[in-house]
Amino acid sequence: MADLLEQDNTHQTLQEVNKALENGMFVHVRRLLQDMEPEDIAHLLEASPPKERQVLWQLTDPEEQGEILDELSEDVKDGIVAQMAPEKLAAVTEGMESDDVAYVLRSLPDERYQEVLAQMDATDRHRVEKALAYSEDSAGGMMSTDFITIRGDVTADVVLRYLRMRGELPEATDALYVVDENEYLIGHISLATLVTTQPDIEIREVMEDSDEAIPVDMDDSEIANLFERRNWLSAPVVDSNNHLVGRITIDDVVDIIREDAEHSMMSMAGMDDEEDTFAPVMKSARSRSIWLGVNVLAALAAASVSNMFEATLDKMAAIAVLMTIVPSMGGVAGNQTVALVIRGLAVGHIGDSNTRWLLSKEARVGLINGLLWALIIGGVVVLWKGDIILGAIIAGAMLTNLIIAGVAGVCIPVMLKKFNIDPALAGGMALTTITDIVGLSVFLGLATIFLV
Amino acid sequence: MADLLEQDNTHQTLQEVNKALENGMFVHVRRLLQDMEPEDIAHLLEASPPKERQVLWQLTDPEEQGEILDELSEDVKDGIVAQMAPEKLAAVTEGMESDDVAYVLRSLPDERYQEVLAQMDATDRHRVEKALAYSEDSAGGMMSTDFITIRGDVTADVVLRYLRMRGELPEATDALYVVDENEYLIGHISLATLVTTQPDIEIREVMEDSDEAIPVDMDDSEIANLFERRNWLSAPVVDSNNHLVGRITIDDVVDIIREDAEHSMMSMAGMDDEEDTFAPVMKSARSRSIWLGVNVLAALAAASVSNMFEATLDKMAAIAVLMTIVPSMGGVAGNQTVALVIRGLAVGHIGDSNTRWLLSKEARVGLINGLLWALIIGGVVVLWKGDIILGAIIAGAMLTNLIIAGVAGVCIPVMLKKFNIDPALAGGMALTTITDIVGLSVFLGLATIFLV
């Protein structure tokens, strides 16, 4: 219910905005946008077709454009950034945190972002260049360099006085980092601990050791797993010398968790997880075409299998009618296993220690469901076509294919992962190719032996 | 790289534990488990086959069992809880937060959890009963009832003194809630603001209004979207009278985000997202069998279509050989669209205001890719089978099916959502059934008209 209400709100605004746009009431749209938070404007832009999106962007407050860009998903952000002048980009990113500026600029071609950097003042440029030097998918690329450090030998009261003098804390601050005179990280103290500590107690007595600081080159998915498992709100980032270089907060990690999980779903359907729902037609057609090309090969492979049995098909049309059933069931059963294994690999549940157990389990699941559906389909075919041998043949092919589907469903993603190929992307297609080929070969092969 | 390291660590522990278990070195295993965090033990249990899981559970520290249960995924947790005596359950959940106890007990049959509740002391029982009364998927079912309230007319200094006197704050506290004398929520103050406020300033001058408090019956996915969009760390929960009743923290929301995203992936493959990777064979076979049953109907529907063209198939085996290609391409293209639309619906990008635009876009993407692959496959067939009419027929069927796939890929999930049916679960199967039927009918129909 609440779900519907909230989405209705967004779409009411969207419809109001669309109507105002159609009628050319740009002043009204500008006023609507002024009342919205940057993250809601980002959402509105993402939910708009290309033309409306462009007009809307022109009507946003330039002061807020930097923050809106930071909230947009990559594909949509890139589309907008590509059309902005360097001076404009430098202006809208002024005052933003360096990791957010790096996100906004990362997709620009080299010479374009050099132009943008040239427009910034020296300190900002230096910080952004540092952020851009880290890989986008690493701790360095995600971290903020805006954090508060204190010494261990001061009292809680001194820290509070310092914070009051300093004023507002960096966004999403939940802990202060304790460093020694060489800026080496030695611990951290949460604000929750700070406010419950007696004023005369020294920080080092109540701080926690930072033995789980994040290395600057750690992979973002791994960081997300750590945050999720440890229930962290933020974590310090250190370089190879245990020198404190940044801070990662849960709000950035939440985006990674969503992206990783979406990645599995989108990849299994052969889509890029960054694909903009409202991308231009040609762009979408091109990006999807690659996957269709892979499937053409798979479909032709299956057709070549049938082709080998052309003589059999020529003699008995009933075989052609029934030949799609076994591959279809094998594909569905195998993809169930593939989805389970892909999730297990992503969350780190599956490794050398338990792959064999899982393989034997999935083979047995295939055996049980294979027996069940072999009996049912065999029975249906006997009743439908009145041919007991044909029923037995399809039952045998079904049983074989469902067992193969279970085994391949475990082996394919695990092996792809070993070869560093994304199992979510290639797993389903490889599986379907195998179940198609096995299903057709066994069914048509048995038919050739026993019926022709 | 870090990814591999971390997973290696888990699997090294797992292998060490497995080896120790095989050799009956239970004391060694118990010691290994004592050195681990509850969340890591939960991970180890989830990554273990059923028998090992049971032995491991017996070797965990009873003091930690409550926390481990809370960290386990639902299916695994339920398996363990079902075998525990009521006194044992009451003992391990003692001292836990009421929402966590509710999570642990929720799956028990009525009389069993009444027995557990009877073992608790009156206050705990009352709190847990209250938590159990809310739906699992609502704010009420997620919230913690452990939070700190203050009045608006006290100074920052008074609050700090109160907190120091109170000692440790509830887990993941990042803000204090400001209520009036009737416990109505009037605002909140983050710890970050508190520590930067001068001691003599009154709270109401620096607090923020809580105009976005979460209603107690709000749906969990909606809560997750709000947290994600607003970058919240925690949020107050109020009843219909704006009475403060609880607090939701980001760590619980992260679990929802992961579950929602996994749900889409697993559902599209016809799996329950709570399915335990290492579930017993019979349990897995049963749960998957339902989906295979749905697919049997879809496969039989496709076979009936071919059956209508039995006479055609009887005359020309090449048609049978090629007839699987067009349905296969349609299924893959349609599922790309379905995945895009399911994600768009889940994040709230797609609504009445833009469905029509999206429909026309996907139809045009289908047209472009349809033309491309019609030409390619048509050409391949002409070369392969030396039959220009057959090539033209398959090209025409391909073009038709890819356009239909784009249109159906948008319409099916959107309509399912309108009828309150989960588009992720039913969308892919419904799409494939349509592209199979359309693909076969058009190809075999054209072949019947022009070739037979």
Side-chain angles (χ1 to χ4, degrees):
Chain A
M1 195 52 213
D3 190 10
L4 290 173
L5 275 179
E6 160 79 9
Q7 295 204 359
D8 274 359
N9 274 343
T10 311
H11 286 286
Q12 264 168 24
T13 318
L14 195 55
Q15 275 178 321
E16 200 176 335
V17 169
N18 277 341
K19 220 172 141 188
L21 278 182
E22 275 171 31
N23 298 330
M25 295 157 68
F26 296 138
V27 183
H28 181 57
V29 174
R30 198 187 293 270
R31 206 165 40 228
L32 284 173
L33 292 175
Q34 262 161 7
D35 292 340
M36 290 168 69
E37 301 287 329
E39 61 267 26
D40 294 328
I41 299 178
H43 192 259
L44 191 68
L45 288 166
E46 287 176 347
S48 299
K51 261 186 237 156
E52 282 83 347
R53 191 181 284 167
Q54 220 162 6
V55 180
L56 276 176
W57 176 251
Q58 300 302 334
L59 295 172
T60 54
D61 180 358
E63 298 276 306
E64 281 195 325
Q65 288 184 341
E67 233 176 303
I68 297 170
L69 285 174
D70 182 38
E71 296 283 347
L72 285 171
S73 67
E74 211 167 312
D75 224 23
V76 180
K77 179 262 300 174
D78 289 350
I80 294 175
V81 167
Q83 303 192 344
M84 286 172 78
E87 314 78 64
K88 193 79 204 290
L89 272 171
V92 303
T93 53
E94 208 183 300
M96 281 169 64
E97 286 194 32
S98 49
D99 59 323
D100 298 339
V101 180
Y103 172 74
V104 171
L105 300 184
R106 206 176 279 275
S107 65
L108 286 177
D110 241 27
E111 75 263 37
R112 286 285 313 279
Y113 92 64
Q114 292 297 351
E115 284 180 72
V116 180
L117 288 179
Q119 308 278 334
M120 293 181 176
D121 75 50
T123 339
D124 278 358
R125 185 168 62 232
H126 184 65
R127 290 176 67 177
V128 173
E129 273 174 341
K130 247 174 98 173
L132 279 166
Y134 294 112
S135 149
E136 184 178 8
D137 306 324
S138 72
M142 293 169 68
M143 73 188 182
S144 152
T145 50
D146 197 7
F147 50 81
I148 295 179
T149 55
I150 54 176
R151 291 285 145 81
D153 56 3
V154 296
T155 62
D157 193 43
V158 170
V159 173
L160 281 174
R161 276 167 210 274
Y162 164 67
L163 294 178
R164 285 184 199 125
M165 205 181 65
R166 191 185 184 289
E168 210 183 334
L169 303 187
E171 220 187 307
T173 296
D174 73 310
L176 312 177
Y177 298 120
V178 186
V179 294
D180 68 10
E181 58 277 9
N182 297 315
E183 297 286 315
Y184 290 135
L185 179 68
I186 52 176
H188 64 268
I189 176 168
S190 70
L191 293 182
T193 306
L194 181 66
V195 295
T196 51
T197 300
Q198 295 301 328
D200 55 339
I201 305 248
E202 282 191 8
I203 295 302
R204 66 173 141 215
E205 289 177 45
V206 287
M207 75 177 192
E208 286 182 70
D209 291 340
S210 282
D211 47 357
E212 290 202 293
I214 291 179
V216 74
D217 57 358
M218 187 183 260
D219 178 75
D220 59 356
S221 302
E222 182 50 26
I223 295 169
N225 279 342
L226 266 177
F227 266 77
E228 208 179 334
R229 208 179 319 161
R230 301 270 183 254
N231 292 333
W232 287 342
L233 294 179
S234 73
V237 180
V238 293
D239 65 14
S240 49
N241 301 316
N242 205 33
H243 202 119
L244 181 65
V245 291
R247 173 179 71 110
I248 290 178
T249 50
I250 182 82
D251 50 310
D252 295 318
V253 174
V254 163
D255 295 339
I256 304 292
I257 291 175
R258 165 81 76 182
E259 280 165 24
D260 277 359
E262 275 180 358
H263 170 81
S264 297
M265 181 192 105
M266 296 294 275
S267 296
M268 280 186 75
M271 299 280 280
D272 184 341
D273 49 302
E274 281 294 343
E275 169 141 351
D276 170 10
T277 312
F278 299 94
V281 173
M282 279 313 292
K283 195 167 173 240
S284 296
R286 206 169 333 119
S287 73
R288 306 221 197 136
S289 190
I290 301 162
W291 196 236
L292 289 168
V294 176
N295 189 60
V296 153
L297 297 180
L300 284 174
S304 322
V305 172
S306 321
N307 198 49
M308 295 190 302
F309 299 97
E310 199 165 359
T312 309
L313 290 167
D314 212 18
K315 289 208 182 107
M316 209 171 152
I319 293 172
V321 168
L322 299 172
M323 77 179 184
T324 53
I325 296 176
V326 173
S328 161
M329 291 296 280
V332 168
N335 268 312
Q336 291 182 325
T337 306
V338 166
L340 189 79
V341 174
I342 284 171
R343 186 189 60 167
L345 288 169
V347 296
H349 282 166
I350 298 176
D352 291 337
S353 58
N354 48 24
T355 306
R356 189 174 300 186
W357 189 90
L358 194 62
L359 192 62
S360 121
K361 175 202 151 192
E362 290 297 323
R364 278 178 293 161
V365 170
L367 174 70
I368 292 170
N369 278 330
L371 283 172
L372 175 70
W373 295 107
L375 279 175
I376 292 175
I377 281 293
V380 167
V381 166
V382 171
L383 292 176
W384 187 12
K385 297 284 171 192
D387 185 333
I388 292 180
I389 298 179
L390 193 56
I393 286 171
I394 201 167
M398 182 75 80
L399 177 60
T400 313
N401 207 22
L402 289 208
I403 296 173
I404 297 283
V407 172
V410 175
C411 294
I412 290 172
V414 168
M415 285 192 328
L416 287 171
K417 173 108 183 179
K418 281 235 177 358
F419 289 115
N420 268 322
I421 301 169
D422 179 7
L425 181 62
M429 182 67 82
L431 182 279
T432 312
T433 308
I434 289 185
T435 49
D436 275 0
I437 291 177
V438 170
L440 285 172
S441 314
V442 176
F443 177 63
L444 295 176
L446 289 175
T448 306
I449 297 170
F450 291 105
L451 287 176
V452 182
Chain B
M1 192 54 213
D3 191 11
L4 289 173
L5 275 177
E6 159 80 9
Q7 296 203 0
D8 274 0
N9 274 342
T10 310
H11 287 286
Q12 264 168 25
T13 318
L14 195 55
Q15 275 177 321
E16 197 175 338
V17 169
N18 278 340
K19 219 171 142 190
L21 278 182
E22 274 170 31
N23 299 329
M25 295 158 67
F26 295 138
V27 181
H28 181 56
V29 175
R30 196 188 293 270
R31 205 162 43 226
L32 284 172
L33 291 175
Q34 260 159 9
D35 292 339
M36 291 167 70
E37 301 287 329
E39 61 267 26
D40 294 329
I41 299 178
H43 193 259
L44 191 69
L45 287 167
E46 286 175 349
S48 299
K51 259 187 235 154
E52 282 83 347
R53 191 181 284 166
Q54 219 162 8
V55 179
L56 277 176
W57 175 252
Q58 300 301 335
L59 296 172
T60 55
D61 180 355
E63 298 276 307
E64 280 196 325
Q65 288 184 339
E67 233 177 303
I68 297 170
L69 285 175
D70 183 38
E71 297 283 346
L72 284 172
S73 67
E74 211 168 310
D75 223 23
V76 180
K77 179 262 299 176
D78 289 350
I80 293 175
V81 166
Q83 302 190 344
M84 286 174 76
E87 314 77 64
K88 194 81 203 289
L89 271 170
V92 302
T93 54
E94 208 182 298
M96 280 167 66
E97 285 194 34
S98 49
D99 59 323
D100 298 339
V101 180
Y103 172 75
V104 170
L105 300 186
R106 208 177 276 276
S107 65
L108 285 178
D110 241 27
E111 75 262 36
R112 287 283 315 277
Y113 92 63
Q114 291 298 351
E115 282 180 73
V116 180
L117 288 178
Q119 309 276 334
M120 295 181 176
D121 74 52
T123 338
D124 278 358
R125 184 167 62 230
H126 183 65
R127 290 176 67 177
V128 171
E129 274 174 343
K130 247 173 99 172
L132 280 167
Y134 293 111
S135 148
E136 184 176 7
D137 305 323
S138 72
M142 292 170 70
M143 72 188 184
S144 150
T145 50
D146 199 6
F147 50 83
I148 294 180
T149 56
I150 54 176
R151 290 286 144 81
D153 56 2
V154 296
T155 62
D157 193 44
V158 170
V159 173
L160 281 174
R161 276 166 209 273
Y162 163 67
L163 294 178
R164 284 182 199 126
M165 204 182 65
R166 191 184 183 288
E168 210 183 335
L169 302 187
E171 219 186 308
T173 295
D174 72 310
L176 311 177
Y177 298 120
V178 186
V179 293
D180 68 10
E181 58 279 8
N182 298 314
E183 298 285 314
Y184 289 134
L185 179 69
I186 53 176
H188 64 267
I189 178 169
S190 69
L191 293 182
T193 306
L194 181 65
V195 296
T196 52
T197 300
Q198 296 300 329
D200 55 341
I201 304 244
E202 283 192 7
I203 295 303
R204 67 174 140 214
E205 289 177 44
V206 286
M207 75 177 192
E208 285 183 70
D209 292 340
S210 282
D211 48 356
E212 290 202 294
I214 291 179
V216 74
D217 57 357
M218 189 183 258
D219 179 75
D220 59 357
S221 303
E222 184 48 26
I223 295 169
N225 279 342
L226 268 176
F227 266 77
E228 206 178 336
R229 205 171 331 154
R230 301 272 182 254
N231 292 334
W232 288 342
L233 295 179
S234 72
V237 180
V238 292
D239 64 15
S240 48
N241 301 315
N242 205 34
H243 202 121
L244 181 64
V245 291
R247 174 178 70 110
I248 290 178
T249 49
I250 183 81
D251 51 309
D252 294 318
V253 175
V254 162
D255 295 339
I256 304 292
I257 292 174
R258 166 81 75 183
E259 280 166 24
D260 278 358
E262 275 181 358
H263 169 81
S264 297
M265 181 193 105
M266 296 293 276
S267 296
M268 281 186 75
M271 298 280 281
D272 184 342
D273 50 301
E274 281 294 343
E275 169 140 352
D276 169 11
T277 312
F278 298 94
V281 173
M282 278 313 292
K283 195 165 172 242
S284 295
R286 209 173 326 124
S287 73
R288 305 218 197 140
S289 187
I290 300 163
W291 196 238
L292 289 169
V294 176
N295 189 59
V296 154
L297 297 179
L300 284 174
S304 321
V305 172
S306 321
N307 198 51
M308 295 190 303
F309 299 97
E310 197 165 3
T312 309
L313 290 166
D314 214 18
K315 288 204 182 111
M316 208 173 151
I319 294 173
V321 167
L322 299 173
M323 76 178 187
T324 52
I325 296 176
V326 173
S328 161
M329 292 296 279
V332 168
N335 269 313
Q336 291 182 325
T337 306
V338 166
L340 190 78
V341 175
I342 284 171
R343 186 190 60 166
L345 288 169
V347 296
H349 282 166
I350 298 175
D352 291 338
S353 59
N354 49 23
T355 307
R356 191 173 299 184
W357 189 91
L358 195 61
L359 192 62
S360 121
K361 175 204 153 192
E362 291 298 321
R364 279 178 292 160
V365 170
L367 174 70
I368 293 170
N369 278 332
L371 283 170
L372 176 70
W373 295 109
L375 279 174
I376 294 176
I377 280 293
V380 168
V381 166
V382 170
L383 292 176
W384 187 11
K385 296 286 171 189
D387 186 333
I388 293 182
I389 299 180
L390 193 56
I393 286 172
I394 203 168
M398 181 76 81
L399 177 59
T400 313
N401 207 23
L402 288 209
I403 296 174
I404 297 282
V407 172
V410 175
C411 294
I412 290 172
V414 168
M415 287 195 322
L416 287 172
K417 173 107 181 178
K418 280 235 186 323
F419 290 116
N420 269 322
I421 301 169
D422 179 8
L425 181 61
M429 183 66 82
L431 183 280
T432 313
T433 308
I434 288 185
T435 48
D436 275 1
I437 290 177
V438 171
L440 284 172
S441 314
V442 176
F443 178 63
L444 295 176
L446 289 175
T448 306
I449 296 171
F450 291 104
L451 286 176
V452 182

